[in-house]
Amino acid sequence: MRISRITVTVVAVPDLPLRNVIGCHQPYALRNIIQVHTDDGLVGLGEMPGGTQMRVELEQAAAQLIGTDPFALEPLRVRFRDRPKVQAAFEVPCLDLMGRATGRSVADLVGGAVRDRVPFSAYLFFKFATPDDWLGTPVGTPAARAPLGMFGAHDAVLTPEAMVGEAEAFIRRYGFRTLKLKGGVLTPAQEVETLRLLRARLGPAYRLRIDPNGGWSVQDAVAMIPALEEIGLEYYEDPVTGADAMAEVARRTTIPLATNMCVTAFADLPELAARRMAKIVLADHHWWGGLEALRQLGRFCEIFDLELSQHSNTHLGISMAAMVHAGATVPGLVYASDTHYPWQQGWDIVNEPFEFDQADGSLAVPKGPGLGVTLNEDAVHRLAEVAAAVPAEHRDDEAVIRRWFPEWAPKHGDVFRRLIT
Amino acid sequence: MRISRITVTVVAVPDLPLRNVIGCHQPYALRNIIQVHTDDGLVGLGEMPGGTQMRVELEQAAAQLIGTDPFALEPLRVRFRDRPKVQAAFEVPCLDLMGRATGRSVADLVGGAVRDRVPFSAYLFFKFATPDDWLGTPVGTPAARAPLGMFGAHDAVLTPEAMVGEAEAFIRRYGFRTLKLKGGVLTPAQEVETLRLLRARLGPAYRLRIDPNGGWSVQDAVAMIPALEEIGLEYYEDPVTGADAMAEVARRTTIPLATNMCVTAFADLPELAARRMAKIVLADHHWWGGLEALRQLGRFCEIFDLELSQHSNTHLGISMAAMVHAGATVPGLVYASDTHYPWQQGWDIVNEPFEFDQADGSLAVPKGPGLGVTLNEDAVHRLAEVAAAVPAEHRDDEAVIRRWFPEWAPKHGDVFRRLIT
């Protein structure tokens, strides 16, 4: 079995004006859909962030893989040393191919599942109400103007009280038992008040997290600690930016700190081991080099008594499948993983969209073969047409929010901006 | 595919009176041969150190695996958490089964080979001449009295000059370009003189190592450094015992230190990362939990700019196969691996005995399926009969050497003793 052809297709999927520390989401999120074909007619699937720049980088890398064996994962990593995104982009479709060739699931091929279901967390965003022309201009295709069909109306969620309603809708629809609040948007006090209202409404059984994306000062982050400890937080994610600031906050609280901003690569791990400025690493197979890399990161965390959860960006069903296989096979991944998946409901490009268990927000591990998902060619075609019509080639959350706040100039978010673009 | 039956067979393979820091090898080395059968008629092979005690432990563990899927490697590790030898004992035959079921090699299933050939090192021991009755008593079976058939005569090698002849015989027969001297037997000065003679005879192209198994004092180990640096050593393996002593020696020399004594498990790695008392970890899949564990150890070493080589104990062809697959798939395993394999030439229990390339001492990576070796049932049966007749149930190098030195009482070797028994 040899790789005979690789295609990379940019798709644009509708998204809502979800707010974050630097601005808000664009009307469309760009993803790259990777199809790795073999000489015996199999196709392995992959999905990566980004638009044209990522597509070009992936296509250049893909040319080097023609004629190679999909089982040759470690040679792939050696070939693209220091380019973990490229490793991940092709490791996942190669694992999918290995599964299709052997009749086994990806989970089986990366060590076997230690759990049958993988827990996920609600990802709660403050958001603007969707303008009437949100998807219409500047795209202009009929597909792009189609209704989103998400949770009925798209009302604004800009207050602590509104967020409680949003959380209840998520719980009702998806069963989540863990809720993550995307912070760094209102004031720290308002966001902590949001958590307090959530705790009051939901009781002690739900796990709560907050992620200000490094947007709080150390002073604010420390000032919030007494209230957060009283509310009861599962973890405190990137309240501040940089290892020094994280270490300072970590020293002041019994709540474990989590990060996907000051630890984003294997090269960051010696400092983490030495300073322990976070207890929980939010792993992302797209960033770290793939599923095997997450298992190696998992071993690292075991060695140093650190813990693991999964980070997420806006994504579709191929990434969802890979995240579930990762979540099933890394023993230390006991926290509910983040996922943006609910925000794109109805727009997936796989024929087997994922359904969260309404009892606990978990997903079943696909039985395979491979990732256990197949491509909905029509959906890909439609979202690729949208992508072709979207002028933006990379994510620019700051430009979008100026529609609401013309004078917008984010005070924080340098690291966040670098990570998402 | 489910595991239906597991057998563990103790075999005893003839060995020579090879000397080390605590005594010398017994006439027979004990190994456990593991056969994991599946309901569809496949058999996966494994090999582990030890005798009856290990057999009983493995049989008790095996009972828990009946009915499980050989692909379920991570559940196996979780089940036998903190028992890496048990993990390794069953991971390797499960990988063998996965390979047989899919038609792929073990190397393909643990990431794919990054090299086609794996370099090995000569393992040079000072040794006694073989007594006429070396294999005869107390065993008493005809098989046990059969000639060893190794390198013709079994002369003593007890001087630096004799060791040069031994090294040349190894190079002639096996092509090794790296030579490891098992030290801790003569005086430090005599052993360094041995290395000096080897360098003088062989020239600069050969790589030399010495391993006193922690038997030297810090004072001696440091005193030898100028001579060792002049001779040119690839690495200086466990000259002394304990992290403090190793760190002290490491501070005094440019020669990298290697260890399989003060770092033997994942739990030892935080101290290694913090103190860097060795640069090279001598990994052993039998100790660390299997091939996947070695790949995770390899990633750890990359993260901390450490290096990897492979440790060996007396072993047969199943372990040899596993070591070659490990050597092929762990990118950081660039040093020639240790192996005792030549010492048991002619006594292997696989139908495909390994042949070192006479040009460079390397072994080709078996193409598979699985490990790429099959069991020679007659050989297993014969060596199992020997094992049944051998009274010793564990390794006792101190008892044996009293045959030559009745008053023998080793001054060093507590750690070494614990590791081999």
Side-chain angles (χ1 to χ4, degrees):
Chain A
M1 182 167 64
R2 298 282 154 178
I3 293 171
S4 57
R5 191 162 61 90
I6 298 175
T7 64
V8 183
T9 308
V10 181
V11 298
V13 60
D15 202 6
L16 293 181
L18 308 178
R19 291 189 60 184
N20 59 38
V21 71
I22 59 164
C24 92
H25 286 202
Q26 294 169 307
Y28 298 95
L30 299 174
R31 300 294 285 177
N32 279 287
I33 306 301
I34 300 146
Q35 297 179 68
V36 177
H37 300 259
T38 65
D39 52 11
D40 50 2
L42 297 176
V43 186
L45 300 179
E47 177 186 341
M48 288 292 289
T52 304
Q53 186 180 331
M54 173 66 80
R55 177 177 62 75
V56 170
E57 183 176 358
L58 294 181
E59 284 177 344
Q60 285 169 352
Q64 298 182 45
L65 297 176
I66 304 304
T68 65
D69 181 346
F71 281 72
L73 300 177
E74 199 61 54
L76 172 72
R77 284 174 214 119
V78 170
R79 185 190 295 269
F80 299 116
R81 191 179 288 282
D82 303 325
R83 296 169 70 190
K85 286 183 184 171
V86 174
Q87 295 171 2
F90 297 109
E91 188 227 43
V92 171
C94 283
L95 285 168
D96 192 24
L97 284 169
M98 290 167 63
R100 291 178 188 282
T102 60
R104 305 293 307 214
S105 72
V106 165
D108 284 342
L109 294 170
V110 293
V114 295
R115 50 189 75 92
D116 296 331
R117 302 193 66 84
V118 174
F120 283 86
S121 166
Y123 210 139
L124 302 175
F125 285 84
F126 292 106
K127 66 182 195 228
F128 296 111
T130 316
D132 287 341
D133 63 347
W134 177 241
L135 292 181
T137 53
V139 175
T141 70
R145 286 194 297 269
L148 280 172
M150 292 169 64
F151 330 131
H154 314 300
D155 294 333
V157 176
L158 293 169
T159 65
E161 294 74 16
M163 185 57 87
V164 173
E166 183 86 337
E168 288 181 315
F170 263 79
I171 292 168
R172 208 161 41 239
R173 177 148 180 192
Y174 302 107
F176 295 124
R177 307 292 289 178
T178 304
L179 302 119
K180 165 166 162 170
L181 178 64
K182 184 65 137 187
V185 174
L186 309 186
T187 66
Q190 288 172 307
E191 294 182 354
V192 172
E193 172 64 8
T194 305
L195 293 169
R196 199 189 62 72
L197 290 180
L198 286 170
R199 175 64 73 213
R201 183 72 61 93
L202 300 174
Y206 287 78
R207 288 170 290 272
L208 302 178
R209 312 168 175 170
I210 185 168
D211 172 19
N213 276 127
W216 291 0
S217 66
V218 170
Q219 192 181 355
D220 280 346
V222 169
M224 297 301 123
I225 287 173
L228 292 174
E229 290 181 349
E230 193 185 330
I231 292 165
L233 219 55
E234 185 183 37
Y235 55 67
Y236 195 9
E237 178 181 341
D238 288 314
V240 292
T241 295
D244 290 346
M246 287 287 283
E248 178 64 21
V249 176
R251 261 194 299 278
R252 307 295 194 91
T253 178
T254 57
I255 304 170
L257 264 65
T259 186
N260 69 292
M261 291 178 63
C262 73
V263 178
T264 62
F266 286 101
D268 299 327
L269 295 177
E271 184 179 22
L272 175 65
R275 303 189 61 183
R276 307 186 71 81
M277 62 281 191
K279 172 76 171 178
I280 296 145
V281 179
L282 299 171
D284 184 325
H285 74 271
H286 306 87
W287 291 3
W288 285 80
L291 302 194
E292 193 59 41
L294 288 207
R295 286 166 46 70
Q296 295 178 341
L297 174 61
R299 175 71 85 161
F300 182 94
C301 288
E302 275 180 41
I303 293 168
F304 285 101
D305 192 26
L306 298 165
E307 299 183 315
L308 267 182
S309 187
Q310 270 192 108
H311 166 264
S312 150
N313 268 324
T314 303
H315 65 91
L316 296 166
I318 302 170
S319 286
M320 185 83 262
M323 290 173 71
V324 176
H325 287 284
T329 54
V330 179
L333 259 176
V334 292
Y335 288 104
S337 294
D338 287 343
T339 178
H340 290 63
Y341 192 72
W343 294 105
Q344 273 67 43
Q345 284 282 302
W347 290 94
D348 207 348
I349 42 78
V350 299
N351 292 314
E352 308 79 3
F354 287 83
E355 293 285 345
F356 296 93
D357 185 328
Q358 285 184 315
D360 65 1
S362 69
L363 289 179
V365 183
K367 297 292 182 199
L371 289 169
V373 292
T374 57
L375 212 53
N376 178 333
E377 304 277 359
D378 287 345
V380 172
H381 185 71
R382 185 174 54 180
L383 295 186
E385 282 196 335
V386 177
V390 169
E393 297 205 340
H394 62 87
R395 185 168 161 182
D396 186 352
D397 293 25
E398 294 173 47
V400 181
I401 199 172
R402 293 204 185 94
R403 175 172 192 150
W404 287 271
F405 298 141
E407 307 298 317
W408 179 261
K411 272 180 275 181
H412 302 286
D414 284 351
V415 172
F416 181 71
R417 194 177 298 114
R418 199 176 66 236
L419 291 174
I420 63 168
T421 53
Chain B
M1 182 168 63
R2 297 282 154 177
I3 293 172
S4 56
R5 190 163 60 89
I6 298 176
T7 65
V8 183
T9 309
V10 180
V11 298
V13 60
D15 201 5
L16 293 180
L18 308 179
R19 292 189 60 184
N20 59 39
V21 70
I22 60 164
C24 91
H25 285 200
Q26 295 170 306
Y28 299 95
L30 299 174
R31 301 292 285 177
N32 279 288
I33 306 300
I34 299 145
Q35 297 177 69
V36 178
H37 301 258
T38 65
D39 53 11
D40 50 2
L42 296 177
V43 187
L45 300 178
E47 177 187 340
M48 287 292 287
T52 304
Q53 186 181 331
M54 173 67 79
R55 178 178 62 75
V56 170
E57 183 175 359
L58 294 181
E59 284 176 345
Q60 286 170 351
Q64 299 183 44
L65 297 175
I66 304 304
T68 65
D69 181 346
F71 281 70
L73 300 177
E74 201 60 51
L76 171 72
R77 283 174 214 120
V78 170
R79 185 189 295 270
F80 301 116
R81 192 178 287 281
D82 302 326
R83 297 169 69 191
K85 286 182 184 173
V86 174
Q87 294 171 2
F90 297 108
E91 187 228 41
V92 171
C94 284
L95 285 168
D96 193 22
L97 284 169
M98 290 167 65
R100 291 178 188 285
T102 59
R104 305 292 307 214
S105 72
V106 166
D108 284 341
L109 294 169
V110 294
V114 295
R115 51 189 75 91
D116 297 330
R117 303 193 66 86
V118 175
F120 283 88
S121 165
Y123 210 140
L124 303 174
F125 285 86
F126 292 106
K127 66 181 195 226
F128 296 111
T130 317
D132 287 343
D133 64 347
W134 176 240
L135 293 180
T137 54
V139 175
T141 69
R145 284 195 297 271
L148 281 173
M150 292 170 65
F151 329 132
H154 314 300
D155 295 332
V157 176
L158 293 168
T159 65
E161 294 74 15
M163 186 57 87
V164 173
E166 184 85 338
E168 289 181 316
F170 262 78
I171 292 167
R172 209 161 40 239
R173 178 147 178 193
Y174 302 106
F176 295 124
R177 307 290 290 177
T178 303
L179 300 118
K180 164 166 163 171
L181 178 65
K182 184 64 140 187
V185 174
L186 310 185
T187 65
Q190 288 172 308
E191 294 182 352
V192 172
E193 172 63 8
T194 304
L195 293 169
R196 200 189 61 71
L197 290 179
L198 285 170
R199 177 62 75 213
R201 184 72 62 93
L202 300 173
Y206 286 78
R207 287 170 290 272
L208 301 178
R209 311 167 175 171
I210 185 168
D211 172 19
N213 276 128
W216 292 359
S217 65
V218 170
Q219 191 179 358
D220 281 346
V222 169
M224 297 301 123
I225 286 172
L228 292 174
E229 290 182 348
E230 194 186 329
I231 291 164
L233 219 56
E234 186 184 35
Y235 56 67
Y236 196 9
E237 177 180 341
D238 288 314
V240 293
T241 295
D244 290 346
M246 287 287 282
E248 178 65 21
V249 176
R251 263 194 296 279
R252 308 295 194 92
T253 177
T254 57
I255 304 170
L257 265 65
T259 186
N260 68 293
M261 292 177 63
C262 73
V263 178
T264 64
F266 285 101
D268 299 328
L269 294 178
E271 184 178 24
L272 175 66
R275 304 189 60 182
R276 306 187 73 80
M277 62 282 190
K279 172 77 172 176
I280 297 145
V281 179
L282 299 171
D284 185 325
H285 74 270
H286 306 87
W287 291 4
W288 285 80
L291 303 195
E292 194 58 41
L294 288 208
R295 287 164 46 72
Q296 295 178 342
L297 174 61
R299 175 71 85 162
F300 181 94
C301 289
E302 274 180 42
I303 292 168
F304 285 102
D305 191 26
L306 299 165
E307 298 182 315
L308 268 182
S309 187
Q310 270 193 107
H311 166 265
S312 150
N313 269 324
T314 302
H315 67 91
L316 296 167
I318 301 170
S319 286
M320 185 83 262
M323 290 172 71
V324 176
H325 287 285
T329 54
V330 180
L333 259 176
V334 293
Y335 287 103
S337 293
D338 287 345
T339 177
H340 290 64
Y341 193 72
W343 295 105
Q344 274 67 44
Q345 284 283 300
W347 290 94
D348 207 346
I349 41 79
V350 299
N351 291 313
E352 309 78 4
F354 287 84
E355 294 284 346
F356 296 93
D357 185 328
Q358 287 185 314
D360 64 0
S362 69
L363 290 178
V365 182
K367 297 292 179 196
L371 290 168
V373 294
T374 58
L375 213 53
N376 178 333
E377 304 277 359
D378 288 345
V380 172
H381 185 71
R382 184 174 55 179
L383 295 186
E385 283 196 333
V386 177
V390 169
E393 295 204 341
H394 61 88
R395 185 168 162 182
D396 185 351
D397 294 25
E398 295 174 45
V400 181
I401 199 172
R402 294 205 183 93
R403 176 173 190 147
W404 285 272
F405 299 141
E407 308 298 318
W408 179 261
K411 273 179 274 183
H412 303 285
D414 284 351
V415 173
F416 180 71
R417 193 178 298 113
R418 198 177 67 235
L419 291 175
I420 64 170
T421 53

